[in-house]
């Protein structure tokens, strides 16, 4: 019946939408690099010592606990308090375990053993009972207050020690990072209690799924505080994102707001972190060995030798984080590095006058200084590039001032180098160093190892090649390419017109080498100058390598930088670079950035179909099929133009003042624009996806009702169509009161679920009755005709006491199927708070605060009435015409105010349902 109401063209369209949505979903969930993280292992059995909290605190927070992590002898020694190390507090995130501290804690312990416990860290972890705080925000404030108490408890464990800490460092995973930032909003919280904050995969900008107002209010409180008090916040903060492997929290949400007067915040994607260079998923970011090693190296470099605690110097803290997480020069961190180095000792000095030079070092017995006179090179070239495969941390390249063949002291240029996976490289613009007369490359004496040093002088224009990207709507059918013919070591490919999040490309690099016997490695680095989200690809040449090119952060309007593909190449190879649009990855970006808004578009489409059904009932006396009305009414031009027009008008001051006077919330489209998330035609694409989802969801619910009715008829004897259409049966008020009490005393979402099940039961029963009636007609058509005549003879003028005909029953089922679809989405949107309540039932019988309670109070009596409502009873209602006109503006409202605030969507849904129920009485 459902499929019969849709023509083949529409069916083909819905199938195409499913295919496109599948492409986008595949790109989000599978279209990324394999997991290259090494697992971090414990060398001894991990132990979690429970820290005893004050009785009042334990009673106030019965579900929360504080633990100290340890292994082996360290764990045994520290069972007797007080402690002597440096405290670090780990905060788990949504559904996270306090045991996730073991990776970083174990690595820190091994590092401390390496230096004979000259310094060591004590890692604490909070047990939040694996609460789903990303879905239910009612406990975020409670977690924040508990963490404050934990910090005070931790610091008391060090009382009486010579180097007792006055503050703690915090590592927050996922929502744990947001809780850490929220500490500063507490009235009695002293900012000096935190000396460093590192967050991992924390959505700082906005919630991933804004399913209740408590989450959005919490975010607003935290972010507003940090923006308004930026001048007074001295807390050094580092946010690390997981990259494209983390499909739970997209990296764009993890970037801390860039404020001109708040320079103590850094945001970086793990793929850009030196010595890490991998993308991590949402869970592996806490155990990824490469990233945790980087983190612990930074922690030990942050220690102040005088206080034996983390330094209080904000400049040093930022310098350390930049060294380890942003740009690593392949040298150990030094707070005040010596720029001038002595170049003395028994060493050979070899002058090099060629513009391109390679030296293969193997079993060198003497130290060698290769000197490059710059005077002649300055006249021809603009830059010099050097690289070395010797990845030690010693200085290797210097600049000499006013020297002839050798110099006693040189400017250490090694600090300006950059560490890459297989090389360390340095590029200098010659005009920036006018006082240098020579460039010196140092080759140490080595035994048994082999490495290669290369240097070349070049003109910038010969190594900077512009490559305009293909158009968004080329769909990968066209491409653009450049060929690197010259034998250089380094190239910058400028990707012109690339700066929007909806752009996505496949870049193919084909390398062809001649006369090469040994394996050669090339590095292709995608450099995004406006955010730290670089990614590296290592290729063994000759080869064909495909690189996915897309963004986490759009280019700011006032930024004129160009995205670069930096190619560290071999002089023996020729490279061909081809770029073309990737349609599947564009769809992936739509899903990645806007997939959370899809429920709003689905409900908007259902509301339009619902309004069409109500109007057809008013105008023709019959209710049309849900699928047919979806085809007819769910059109994007009924919704999008109004949203676009309001957004345009809000640009005018008079309209904005009028808007604020009406106390209307900010338009979601403006919120998305402020986050640089507006795609061309994105609303249209989402609306089409939403209509498609509404269609297949309707098919699923219709099929489910039929299957349940068949099961009902199998288990119970056939029932007849209702002979008395009473709106309020004797048991209905009792049921309504019971459900309202359930909502008040337990959880609103639980009461909504029970109401939904009651409504489904009523519809299944009606479907079973209609099936029985139709079967009886097929078996005994004469008897059925007599029954129908008898029924018609006894019809009364009062609609409330009419027998229900088969035609009315079918109309009612069509209407009820649409209401079920709407109610299903309300249940799904309220499900997170229900899950949270069930998970914490042993601690709290009543959910407080409860985001669904007000909705439940309205929805319970409404659905109780609608469960007993038939189309025959509302055809002549004076309110029906008005009711049929409401879904259209509400569908617009859902998109305007609910796409970025999903918790508002049910408020738009219950209004037409309430009016529909009132049609029985007016």
């Amino acid at each position: 019946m459902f499929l019969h109401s849709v023509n083949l063209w529409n069916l083909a369209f819905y199938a195409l939408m499913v295919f496109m949505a599948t492409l986008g979903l595949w790109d989000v969930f599978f279209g990324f690099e394999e997991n290259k993280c090494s697992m971090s292992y414990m060398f001894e059995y991990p132990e979690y010592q429970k820290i005893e909290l004050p009785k009042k605190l334990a009673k106030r927070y019965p579900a929360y606990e504080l633990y100290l992590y340890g292994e082996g002898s360290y764990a045994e020694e520290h069972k007797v308090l007080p402690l002597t190390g440096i405290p670090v507090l780990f905060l788990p995130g949504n559904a996270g375990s306090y045991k996730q501290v073991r990776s970083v804690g174990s690595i820190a312990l091994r590092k401390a053993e390496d230096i004979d416990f000259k310094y060591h860290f004590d890692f604490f972890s909070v047990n939040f009972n694996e609460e789903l705080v990303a879905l239910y925000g009612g406990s975020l404030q409670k977690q924040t207050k508990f963490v404050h108490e934990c910090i005070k408890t931790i610091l008391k464990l060090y009382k009486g020690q010579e180097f007792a800490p006055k503050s703690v460092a915090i590592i927050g995973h996922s929502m744990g990072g947001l809780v850490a930032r929220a500490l500063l909003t507490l009235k009695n919280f002293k900012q000096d209690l935190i000396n460093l904050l590192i967050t991992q995969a924390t959505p700082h900008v906005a919630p991933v799924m804004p399913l209740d107002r408590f989450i959005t209010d919490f975010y607003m409180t935290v972010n507003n505080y940090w923006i308004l008090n930026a001048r007074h916040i001295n807390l050094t903060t580092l946010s690390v994102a997981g990259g494209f492997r983390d499909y739970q929290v997209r990296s764009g949400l993890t970037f801390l707001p860039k404020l001109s007067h708040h320079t103590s915040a850094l945001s970086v994607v793990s793929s850009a972190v030196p010595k890490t260079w991998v993308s991590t998923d949402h869970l592996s970011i806490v155990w990824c060995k490469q990233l945790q090693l980087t983190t612990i190296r930074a922690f030990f470099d942050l220690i102040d030798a005088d206080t034996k605690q983390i330094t209080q110097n904000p400049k040093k803290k930022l310098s350390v984080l930049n060294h380890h997480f942003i740009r690593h020069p392949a040298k150990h961190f030094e707070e005040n590095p010596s720029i001038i180095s002595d170049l003395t000792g028994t060493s050979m000095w070899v002058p090099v006058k060629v513009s391109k030079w390679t030296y293969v070092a193997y079993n060198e017995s003497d130290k060698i200084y290769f000197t490059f006179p710059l005077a002649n090179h300055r006249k021809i070239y603009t830059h010099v590039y050097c690289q070395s495969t010797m990845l030690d941390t010693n200085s290797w390249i210097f600049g000499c001032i006013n020297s002839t063949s050798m110099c006693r002291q040189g400017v250490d240029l090694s600090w300006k180098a950059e560490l890459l996976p297989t090389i360390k490289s340095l590029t200098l613009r010659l005009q920036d160093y006018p006082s240098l007369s020579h460039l010196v490359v140092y080759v140490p004496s080595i035994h048994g190892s082999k490495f290669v040093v290369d240097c070349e002088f070049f003109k910038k224009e010969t190594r900077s090649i512009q490559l305009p990207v293909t158009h968004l709507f080329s769909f990968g059918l066209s491409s653009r390419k450049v060929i690197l013919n010259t034998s250089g070591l380094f190239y910058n490919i400028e990707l012109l017109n690339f700066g929007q999040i909806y752009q996505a490309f496949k870049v193919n690099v084909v390398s062809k080498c001649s006369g090469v016997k040994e394996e050669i490695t090339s590095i292709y680095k995608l450099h995004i100058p406006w955010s730290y989200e670089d990614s590296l690809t290592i290729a063994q040449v000759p080869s064909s390598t495909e690189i996915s090119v897309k963004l986490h952060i759009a280019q700011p309007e006032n930024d004129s930088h160009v995205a670069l593909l930096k190619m560290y190449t071999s002089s023996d190879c020729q490279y061909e670079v081809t770029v073309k649009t990737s349609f599947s990855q564009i769809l992936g970006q739509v899903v990645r950035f806007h997939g959370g808004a899809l429920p709003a578009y689905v409900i908007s489409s259902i509301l339009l179909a619902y309004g069409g059904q109500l109007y057809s009932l008013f105008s023709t006396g019959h209710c049309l099929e849900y699928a047919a009305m979806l085809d007819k009414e769910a059109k994007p031009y009924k919704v999008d133009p109004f949203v676009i027009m309001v957004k345009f008008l809000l640009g005018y001051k008079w309209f904005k003042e009028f808007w604020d006077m009406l106390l209307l919330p900010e338009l979601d489209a403006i919120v998305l624009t402020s986050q640089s998330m507006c795609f061309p035609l994105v609303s249209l694409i989402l609306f089409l996806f939403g209509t498609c989802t509404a269609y297949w969801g309707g098919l699923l619910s219709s099929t489910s009702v039929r299957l349940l009715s068949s099961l009902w008829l199998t288990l119970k004897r056939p029932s007849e169509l209702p002979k008395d259409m009473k709106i309020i049966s004797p048991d209905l008020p009792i049921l309504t009161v019971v459900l309202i009490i359930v909502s008040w005393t337990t959880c609103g979402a639980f009461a909504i679920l029970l109401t939904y099940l009651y409504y489904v039961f009523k519809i299944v029963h009606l479907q079973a009755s209609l099936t029985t009636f139709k079967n009886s007609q097929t078996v005994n058509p004469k008897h059925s005709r007599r029954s129908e005549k008898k029924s018609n003879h006894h019809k009364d003028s009062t609609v409330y006491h009419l027998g229900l005909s088969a035609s009315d029953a079918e109309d009612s089922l069509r209407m009820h199927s649409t209401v079920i679809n709407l109610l299903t989405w309300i249940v799904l949107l309220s499900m997170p708070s229900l899950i949270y309540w069930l998970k914490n039932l042993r601690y709290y019988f009543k959910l407080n605060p409860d985001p669904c309670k007000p909705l439940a109070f309205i929805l319970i009596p409404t659905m109780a009435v609608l469960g007993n409502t038939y189309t025959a009873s509302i055809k002549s209602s004076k309110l029906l015409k008005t009711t049929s006109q409401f879904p259209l503006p509400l569908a617009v409202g859902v998109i305007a105010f609910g796409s970025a605030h999903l918790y508002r969507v049910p408020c738009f849904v219950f209004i037409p349902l309430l009016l529909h129920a009132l049609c029985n009485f007016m």
Side-chain angles (χ1 to χ4, degrees):
M1 183 70 75
F2 189 93
L3 286 171
H4 291 164
S5 61
V6 183
N7 61 49
L8 291 176
W9 286 110
N10 287 330
L11 197 59
F13 168 76
Y14 290 135
L16 175 64
M17 287 296 104
V18 169
F19 174 72
M20 290 175 62
T22 303
L23 282 179
L25 289 168
W26 185 91
D27 179 71
V28 171
F29 292 107
F30 305 103
F32 42 69
E33 64 181 55
E34 63 181 4
N35 193 351
K36 296 177 182 177
C37 277
S38 299
M39 178 67 77
S40 51
Y41 294 97
M42 284 79 253
F43 288 85
E44 298 176 275
Y45 189 78
E47 294 185 37
Y48 305 89
Q49 180 184 345
K50 187 176 179 181
I51 303 297
E52 188 174 347
L53 299 172
K55 289 184 179 180
K56 286 185 178 180
L57 190 62
K59 188 176 181 181
R60 196 186 317 160
Y61 305 101
Y64 299 162
E65 296 167 321
L66 178 64
Y67 288 88
L68 171 65
Y69 178 79
E71 295 177 20
S73 58
Y74 170 88
E76 289 297 322
E77 291 171 8
H78 288 80
K79 284 182 178 178
V80 179
L81 303 173
L83 303 173
T84 58
I86 305 169
V88 180
L89 178 60
F90 176 80
L91 303 180
N94 177 57
S97 169
Y98 66 95
K99 294 181 179 180
Q100 289 174 315
V101 73
R102 62 183 176 269
S103 295
V104 67
S106 180
I107 291 172
L109 187 58
R110 302 282 84 79
K111 178 78 171 174
E113 287 178 348
D114 290 343
I115 59 173
D116 295 325
F117 284 92
K118 179 182 179 183
Y119 309 111
H120 74 273
F121 289 88
D122 300 318
F123 275 82
F124 297 85
S125 185
V126 174
N127 178 17
F128 285 133
N129 192 33
E130 300 184 11
E131 291 180 334
L132 300 172
V133 286
L135 303 178
Y136 168 76
S139 61
L140 284 168
Q141 191 67 21
K142 183 169 60 176
Q143 286 191 0
T144 306
K145 292 179 179 178
F146 180 73
V147 171
H148 183 198
E149 298 297 332
C150 284
I151 292 173
K152 291 190 286 187
T153 301
I154 289 169
L155 293 177
K156 287 178 183 177
L157 300 177
Y158 295 85
K159 273 192 172 180
Q161 299 302 308
E162 183 181 359
F163 298 101
K166 298 179 181 179
S167 58
V168 303
I170 294 181
I171 299 177
H173 173 237
S174 187
M175 295 297 286
L178 186 71
V179 168
R181 287 180 64 216
L183 285 167
L184 274 64
T185 66
L186 297 178
K187 289 182 179 180
N188 300 321
F189 184 80
K190 296 177 181 178
Q191 191 183 136
D192 296 339
L193 291 177
I194 309 176
N195 52 49
L196 177 69
L197 171 59
I198 295 179
T199 66
Q200 299 173 337
T202 296
H204 292 293
V205 177
V208 177
M209 293 289 285
L211 294 172
D212 68 54
R213 63 181 178 86
F214 303 120
I215 295 179
T216 54
D217 289 350
F218 189 81
Y219 265 90
M220 190 176 295
T221 301
V222 173
N223 286 332
N224 285 348
Y225 181 89
W226 277 65
I227 291 170
L228 295 174
N229 298 277
R231 295 181 185 276
H232 310 293
I233 295 176
N234 298 317
L235 176 59
T236 303
T237 308
L238 171 70
S239 174
V240 183
F244 288 109
R245 279 193 62 84
D246 189 351
Y247 52 77
Q248 293 185 45
V249 177
R250 61 177 179 83
S251 297
L253 291 176
T254 66
F255 278 65
L256 293 159
K258 292 183 178 179
L259 302 172
S260 58
H261 42 272
H262 185 210
T263 56
S264 299
L266 288 174
S267 302
V268 63
V269 179
S270 61
S271 59
V273 175
K275 295 191 176 184
T276 301
W277 295 306
V278 296
S279 176
T280 65
D281 59 53
H282 197 63
L283 292 179
S284 69
I285 199 169
V286 299
W287 57 255
C288 182
K289 186 176 181 180
Q290 296 96 313
L291 183 60
Q292 299 310 327
L293 281 170
T294 300
T295 304
I296 293 305
R297 290 189 199 107
F299 268 119
F300 276 88
D301 282 341
L302 284 164
I303 297 174
D304 187 322
D306 296 329
T307 64
K308 294 189 177 182
Q309 296 293 325
I310 288 179
T311 179
Q312 296 298 317
N313 184 346
K315 287 185 178 180
K316 179 181 177 180
K317 284 191 276 190
L318 207 60
S319 182
V320 169
L321 295 179
N322 271 294
H323 178 92
H324 287 283
F325 288 90
I326 305 299
R327 186 184 178 93
H328 198 297
K331 287 179 67 64
H332 290 307
F333 174 80
E334 294 179 28
E335 186 175 356
N336 298 302
S338 55
I339 303 300
I340 304 299
S341 298
D342 292 327
L343 306 180
T344 57
T346 55
S347 304
M348 293 177 58
W349 287 80
V350 180
V352 180
K353 295 182 179 180
V354 294
S355 62
K356 186 173 182 180
W357 169 82
T358 298
Y359 183 79
V360 179
Y362 183 66
N363 279 340
E364 299 291 334
S365 58
D366 297 319
K367 301 175 183 178
I368 306 175
Y369 288 106
F370 292 95
T371 62
F372 298 80
L374 299 179
N376 292 330
H377 290 309
R378 291 184 193 277
K379 299 174 184 177
I380 306 172
Y381 305 107
T382 60
H383 290 70
V384 59
Y385 171 81
C386 290
Q387 67 180 35
S388 172
T389 58
M390 180 83 163
L391 301 181
D392 64 351
T393 57
N394 295 317
S395 296
W396 62 285
I397 189 163
F398 307 88
C400 285
I401 301 172
N402 300 324
S403 174
T404 53
S405 61
M406 61 180 288
C407 59
R408 294 185 178 276
Q409 288 186 324
V411 178
D412 191 351
L413 299 174
S414 307
W415 290 101
K416 297 187 179 297
E418 180 182 14
L419 178 66
L420 294 167
T422 57
I423 60 172
K424 52 186 178 184
S425 68
L426 173 69
T427 304
L428 296 177
R429 191 168 67 163
L430 295 177
Q431 72 178 47
D432 292 342
Y433 301 88
S435 61
L436 297 185
S437 61
H438 287 72
L439 188 70
V440 179
V441 175
Y442 170 63
V443 175
S445 59
I446 55 171
H447 301 281
S449 59
K450 178 182 178 181
F451 68 95
V452 181
V453 183
D454 297 278
C455 284
E456 65 174 353
F457 292 84
F458 63 88
K459 288 183 178 180
K460 181 183 178 182
E461 55 268 22
T462 62
R463 302 301 171 85
S464 294
I465 301 169
Q466 295 184 340
L467 179 60
V469 297
T470 48
H471 194 270
L472 177 68
F473 297 109
S474 63
F475 300 109
L477 301 176
S478 63
S479 63
R480 290 183 178 139
K481 71 171 65 174
V482 293
I483 298 175
L484 312 180
N485 288 315
T486 56
S487 56
L489 297 171
F490 172 76
Y491 292 90
N492 271 333
I493 308 294
E494 298 180 2
L495 301 175
L496 302 181
N497 307 318
F498 173 53
Q500 302 301 323
I501 53 175
Y502 55 80
Q503 293 175 297
F505 307 95
K506 288 181 180 177
V507 173
N508 194 47
V509 181
V510 178
S511 54
K512 298 176 182 177
C513 307
S514 57
V516 176
K517 295 180 180 179
E518 295 183 358
E519 192 176 70
I520 300 174
T521 300
S522 291
I523 300 174
Y524 312 132
K525 178 180 180 180
L526 178 64
H527 174 60
I528 308 301
W530 55 84
S531 64
Y532 298 119
E533 54 176 286
D534 297 1
S535 59
L536 281 79
T537 302
I538 302 173
Q540 304 299 327
V541 295
S543 64
S544 177
T545 306
E546 187 175 271
I547 306 169
S548 292
V549 176
K550 50 196 174 188
L551 295 173
H552 298 291
I553 297 286
Q555 185 174 15
E557 290 183 4
N558 57 349
D559 195 299
S560 59
H561 292 94
V562 179
L564 300 174
L565 180 62
K566 293 187 173 185
M567 300 182 64
Y568 301 85
T569 56
S570 169
S571 57
D572 298 317
C573 301
Q574 184 185 53
Y575 295 81
E576 181 182 279
V577 182
T578 306
V579 60
K580 62 180 180 179
T581 300
S582 174
F583 182 62
S584 62
Q585 291 188 61
I586 290 173
L587 292 174
Q589 290 291 79
V590 172
V591 174
R592 184 175 287 108
F593 282 85
H594 293 278
L598 186 62
Y601 285 86
V602 176
I603 290 172
S604 180
S605 295
I606 299 173
L607 280 173
L608 291 172
Y610 183 41
Q613 283 184 318
L614 289 169
Y615 187 76
S616 69
L617 184 63
F618 166 74
S619 57
T620 65
H622 291 285
C623 183
L624 299 181
E625 282 281 356
Y626 167 72
M629 293 311 301
L630 197 65
D631 291 334
K632 182 181 177 183
E633 298 293 336
K635 305 296 182 186
Y637 61 78
K638 293 186 175 183
V639 174
D640 282 345
F642 292 97
V643 178
I644 294 170
M645 183 175 65
V646 171
K647 182 184 174 183
F648 172 76
L649 290 173
L650 282 170
Y652 292 96
K653 185 179 179 180
W654 63 269
F655 190 81
K656 183 68 170 67
E657 290 175 351
F658 175 71
W659 186 271
D660 294 338
M661 190 171 61
L662 295 176
L663 301 179
L664 292 171
E666 190 174 28
L667 205 66
D668 281 0
I670 293 176
V671 175
L672 297 178
T673 302
S674 66
Q675 298 175 9
S676 301
M677 282 177 54
C678 277
F679 285 38
L681 307 177
V682 67
S683 187
L684 173 63
I685 295 170
L686 288 172
F687 195 94
L688 296 177
F689 282 173
T691 305
C692 172
T693 307
Y695 168 78
W696 292 111
L699 176 61
L700 179 64
S701 66
S702 177
T703 304
S704 300
V705 167
R706 290 177 184 277
L707 289 174
L708 288 172
S709 67
S710 300
L711 182 64
W712 174 267
L713 290 173
T714 304
L715 299 175
K716 211 163 166 65
R717 111 189 132 109
S719 54
E720 297 180 353
L721 290 173
K723 295 181 179 179
D724 190 9
M725 292 184 293
K726 289 182 178 180
I727 303 304
I728 301 179
S729 56
D731 58 339
L732 194 63
I734 299 173
L735 178 65
T736 303
V737 170
V738 168
L739 289 174
I740 289 176
I741 292 173
V742 168
S743 173
W744 179 262
T745 56
T746 59
C747 171
F750 180 54
I752 289 174
L753 178 63
L754 294 177
T755 305
Y756 173 75
L757 295 175
Y758 164 77
Y759 189 81
V760 170
F761 167 75
K762 297 290 289 186
I763 306 316
V764 168
H765 186 269
L766 180 60
Q767 178 69 59
S769 302
L770 181 61
T771 303
T772 302
F773 178 76
K774 286 184 175 180
N775 291 341
S776 67
Q777 276 190 319
T778 305
V779 174
N780 192 355
K782 289 185 179 179
H783 176 74
S784 62
R785 280 197 295 270
R786 284 197 300 270
S787 299
E788 191 175 346
K789 287 180 182 178
K790 188 175 180 182
S791 171
N792 290 337
H793 179 72
H794 289 289
K795 276 187 180 179
D796 194 284
S797 60
T798 307
V799 76
Y800 297 103
H801 301 286
L802 287 174
L804 190 66
S805 67
S807 175
D808 289 333
E810 287 183 345
D811 280 350
S812 298
L813 277 172
R814 290 168 187 156
M815 185 68 73
H816 285 307
S817 68
T818 306
V819 175
I820 280 183
N821 289 332
L822 286 172
L823 199 58
T824 299
W825 281 98
I826 291 180
V827 171
L828 289 175
L829 291 175
S830 63
M831 197 56 63
S833 61
L834 174 62
I835 296 171
Y836 178 91
W837 173 72
L838 290 172
K839 189 175 174 60
N840 290 275
L841 199 54
R842 56 180 173 158
Y843 301 108
Y844 315 103
F845 187 71
K846 181 179 180 180
L847 182 64
N848 186 33
D850 189 346
C852 296
K853 188 175 291 182
L855 177 66
F857 287 167
I858 300 173
L859 208 58
I860 290 169
T862 300
M863 299 316 300
V865 172
L866 284 180
N868 290 317
T869 297
Y870 306 97
T871 53
S873 63
I874 63 171
K875 284 179 185 178
S876 58
S877 171
K878 296 177 181 179
L879 193 60
L880 182 58
K881 183 178 180 180
T882 304
T883 302
S884 67
Q885 294 169 344
F886 262 81
L888 174 58
L890 292 172
V892 175
V894 166
I895 303 303
F897 303 110
S899 55
H901 299 82
L902 289 177
Y903 65 90
R904 293 174 181 166
V905 171
C907 301
F908 291 96
V909 174
F910 84 80
I911 294 173
L913 295 177
L914 180 61
L915 292 173
H916 186 173
L918 291 175
C919 286
N920 288 283
F921 308 103
M922 299 175 68

